[in-house]
Amino acid sequence: MSSPPAADHSLPRLEGATRHEGVALEKALDVVSDVFVLFDKDFRIVYHNEANKAAMRAAGMNPDAAIGKTILEALPQIAGSVGERETRRAMKDRVATEWEESYHPDVRLHGRAFPLEDGGLIVVASNVSAEWRAREDARLAAERATRFEAVTADFRKALRPEEVAHVTLSQALDAFHAIAGIVYLLDESAGVLRAAAHHGVAVSEALPWSEVPLESGRLIADAVRMREPYYMPTREVLLERYPVAREVNKAIKAEAWAAIPLVSEGRTLGGICLGFDSDPAFDADQRMFIETFAAQCAQAMDRARLYQEAQLADERLRILAHAADRLIVPLDLDLRLRRVLALMVPSFCDWGAIYLLEPAGALRRAAVQGATKEFEDLLGEIGNAYSKDLRPPAVVRVLKEDTTITMKVDASSIPTLGIDERYASMLARFGPHVVLAVPMHARGTQIGALLLGRQGSSAAFSPADIGFIVDLAIRAAGAIDNARLFASEHAARSAAEEANRAKSDFLAAMSHELRTPLNAIAGYTELLSLGIRGPLNEQQHEDLRRIARNQAHLLSIINDILSFARIEAGYVDFTLEPLAAREVIEGLEQFMAPQLAERQLRFSLRRCDASLVMLADRDKTQQVLLNLLTNAAKFTAIGGEIHVHADGDDATIGIHVTDTGIGIPNDRLDAIFEPFVQVHRSLTHPVSGTGLGLSISRDIARKMGGDIGVKSALGQGSTFTLVLPRHNADSLEQK
Ligand code: ADP
């Protein structure tokens, strides 16, 4: 086999080189690792070194056949490449060119072309795959580092698990060039994954995916349950394993899926589901990136969860610390109700309401509070629309079952609540939320329920929250019950006071009106008996005396009623002054003389000590004692005896009026002090008083700081005692 003509195809064509130098150069070029190719002015290969030959052999071509061929005849695979373009440009424009290009995922070449004086071209290409890969790796690493830094920064701002979910989603879409994604939070107690953030999935499509039971056998549920990343590199693989995904995949047009659990410190918190539009590599490298990212998200989520829990724990403590004094101070029911809610809204939940069972059994929304004006308005609107008959499903259930419940409220649960359309549409305007309803009891009876709402599709009340609210509901119920009792007692008392005052006012007015005509009767009677209208016979005189007696009696009754009414209504003034008992007692006999004489009664006084000085109103004291003496005279048989004496201790003076009369039955001793009570009505003359005397007397005694007591033995006599405060040197100053 003859070698090709050396003169045409060897290096000595290089300007200025000798043959010897040419051979030496060829040998040198054969041992360098760079590819070296020499073209003539017609773009035909004149020479190529061993590195190029090896490359051609590796590609299954014959390197010896290359000499004399054009670039594309020899290397058809470079057609359309950057290398071809740059080589041609160097040839045409007679300029040096340089480029870098990958020919295969693993081979990266750095090429240079140098035009020669004779119109030919030298092409040198170095394999830079290793450096390139290192550079690429460094770039990717830097990009990921930047990504992680950004994620960390974003997470620092995200305090609630929902916020972390949103950051996770937007970063994941960006980092992995995904076209769709859903981030789920795990509700452990319910065993469901709840979508906290989603992208690339319209709400209507996402709806069936917004809540995924862990046992549903769906992609994300499996990944979370098994705590393993699931990669579905093609649509076919996905649909074969998860036929249920067909519907959502139709709408999303994703070609591949990845479902990654979010696990931190051994605790499963949720998962991310990502959809890709073109086949992602899902190679070891990318998987590692995705999983590292997910681990970081999970950590952030756990931090947010702990932070939220710590905040709530703080909040619970704060509320409890405040509960006692906040609830006890106001006695007003409405104020207490508002305070109960203000303890919890907005720090603990987004809105709250208190429902009370009214005595008739009706349910009344007694107080509401919203964290924002929007909630306040919405709550107000519902309240107005259903003013008489507002029965929230959670409250109805809680009252019926008499146990604490939580209830998810969103587009999918509203239709199951059994409420009318209007109510449903109002409820829908709250957006997804969760309610906690706690029954309230007081003195063993259900009195209503506390209803609290937290907004958000992933909002929940933890067992710690619920325990706390139950505890608070007990205190609130007690406070509400007390306020109610106070209100009803207050109402009853003021109603009674009002009625009493009305009665006294009526009696006072009526007595006053009666006195005027009675005075006229007395006047005309006197006029007639004086004979001014003409002479009267003895019979007529006797009639007039009867009229006058009855008039006087009637007037005294009416005066009694009037003074009773005045004292009752608080219209009587007292002037308290030091009053010697002796002085008062000794003045009594002169007033009593006619009655004593009429009934032939003996009257005795025990002379009393000058030191017995009372603090009392002189006239009123005398009025009381005369009343007691009149009764004694009235209820003592002719020839009986009445005795008066006084004594005292450190604080009081007692004046005793004792008779030897008919006495009072033991069981009536209290009753005789009640207005209009007369024990001996049938026994005595039909008109002998009103039954007001003792009642008025006791009122007067009490208004002066004293009282009246009685001891009696039926058929033997009675002792009435007026007790009054003793006057001490300093008792006036005290007053
Ligand atoms: P009145 O004397 O106008 O009936 P009072 O209030 O003064 O009304 O007395 C009420 C009743 O108490 C009398 O009707 C009488 O039955 C009884 N009572 C009062 N004082 C005596 C007394 N000294 N002895 C027996 N009964 C009395």
Side-chain angles (χ1 to χ4, degrees), residues 553 557 560 627-636 657-665 668-669 671-681 683-684 688-697 710-712 714 717-720:
H553 183 64
I557 291 175
D560 269 4
N627 189 265
L628 297 182
L629 283 170
T630 308
N631 279 346
K634 215 157 54 176
F635 298 105
T636 302
V657 177
T658 306
D659 63 55
T660 55
I662 57 179
I664 303 155
R668 304 295 284 158
L669 286 179
I672 53 171
F673 291 97
E674 295 301 321
F676 308 107
V677 171
Q678 293 178 309
V679 177
H680 308 100
R681 181 176 273 277
L683 306 176
T684 54
S688 70
T690 52
L692 280 173
L694 283 178
S695 172
I696 292 170
S697 297
V710 61
K711 283 185 180 145
S712 183
L714 211 53
S718 315
T719 298
F720 283 80

Side-chain angles (χ1 to χ4, degrees), residues 203-472:
V203 175
S204 58
E205 292 146 11
L207 206 54
W209 299 87
S210 63
E211 222 174 80
V212 179
L214 270 187
E215 303 294 335
S216 63
R218 289 186 187 166
L219 173 61
I220 186 67
D222 281 359
V224 172
R225 199 164 38 89
M226 304 308 291
R227 291 174 164 225
E228 249 176 50
Y230 277 47
Y231 294 99
M232 303 288 125
T234 64
R235 182 185 287 256
E236 289 66 42
V237 175
L238 172 75
L239 295 184
E240 192 192 298
R241 282 193 61 178
Y242 297 99
V244 64
R246 190 173 299 276
E247 271 312 301
V248 70
N249 225 30
K250 243 189 242 163
I252 297 179
K253 308 269 178 270
E255 293 299 328
W257 287 92
I260 322 292
L262 294 172
V263 179
S264 171
E265 310 267 336
R267 191 186 168 113
T268 311
L269 301 167
I272 322 176
C273 208
L274 293 171
F276 303 85
D277 62 348
S278 59
D279 292 6
F282 285 153
D283 56 12
D285 205 40
Q286 196 182 12
R287 288 183 184 209
M288 172 121 107
F289 182 26
I290 293 179
E291 286 158 30
T292 311
F293 174 85
Q296 205 183 8
C297 297
Q299 262 178 23
M301 208 162 266
D302 206 24
R303 261 201 313 274
R305 185 184 60 78
L306 287 174
Y307 176 77
Q308 203 175 34
E309 259 172 33
Q311 282 244 307
L312 284 175
D314 273 5
E315 195 48 43
R316 288 195 291 264
L317 274 182
R318 191 190 65 80
I319 294 173
L320 276 186
H322 275 72
D325 53 318
R326 299 276 296 155
L327 294 185
I328 284 166
V329 174
L331 274 173
D332 179 62
L333 177 63
D334 283 340
L335 199 53
R336 277 194 178 181
L337 294 174
R338 282 205 300 277
R339 286 201 169 178
V340 169
L341 291 180
L343 281 172
M344 290 172 279
V345 181
S347 55
F348 188 76
C349 51
D350 295 302
W351 51 265
I354 296 175
Y355 288 82
L356 293 182
L357 284 166
E358 296 297 306
L363 187 62
R364 175 173 76 95
R365 187 166 84 178
V368 278
Q369 183 150 343
T372 63
K373 171 144 187 345
E374 191 194 338
F375 289 134
E376 289 265 310
D377 290 350
L378 212 47
L379 290 163
E381 224 176 285
I382 294 185
N384 291 338
Y386 292 87
S387 55
K388 287 271 154 358
D389 196 31
L390 181 54
R391 308 181 69 79
V395 173
V396 171
R397 234 186 84 192
V398 118
L399 293 178
K400 187 160 153 258
E401 297 172 13
D402 205 21
T403 172
T404 300
I405 61 158
T406 59
M407 205 185 251
K408 272 266 176 213
V409 182
D410 56 24
S412 64
S413 70
I414 288 177
T416 68
L417 295 177
I419 48 178
D420 65 53
E421 242 168 66
R422 183 163 167 232
Y423 195 173
S425 77
M426 286 178 159
L427 213 50
R429 282 167 55 202
F430 275 87
H433 61 274
V434 59
V435 297
L436 169 64
V438 187
M440 292 191 294
H441 299 94
R443 289 174 291 140
T445 326
Q446 210 178 47
I447 63 162
L450 193 60
L451 182 67
L452 303 175
R454 273 190 188 161
Q455 293 295 127
S457 52
S458 55
F461 285 97
S462 70
D465 288 341
I466 294 174
F468 160 69
I469 291 296
V470 166
D471 191 32
L472 197 73

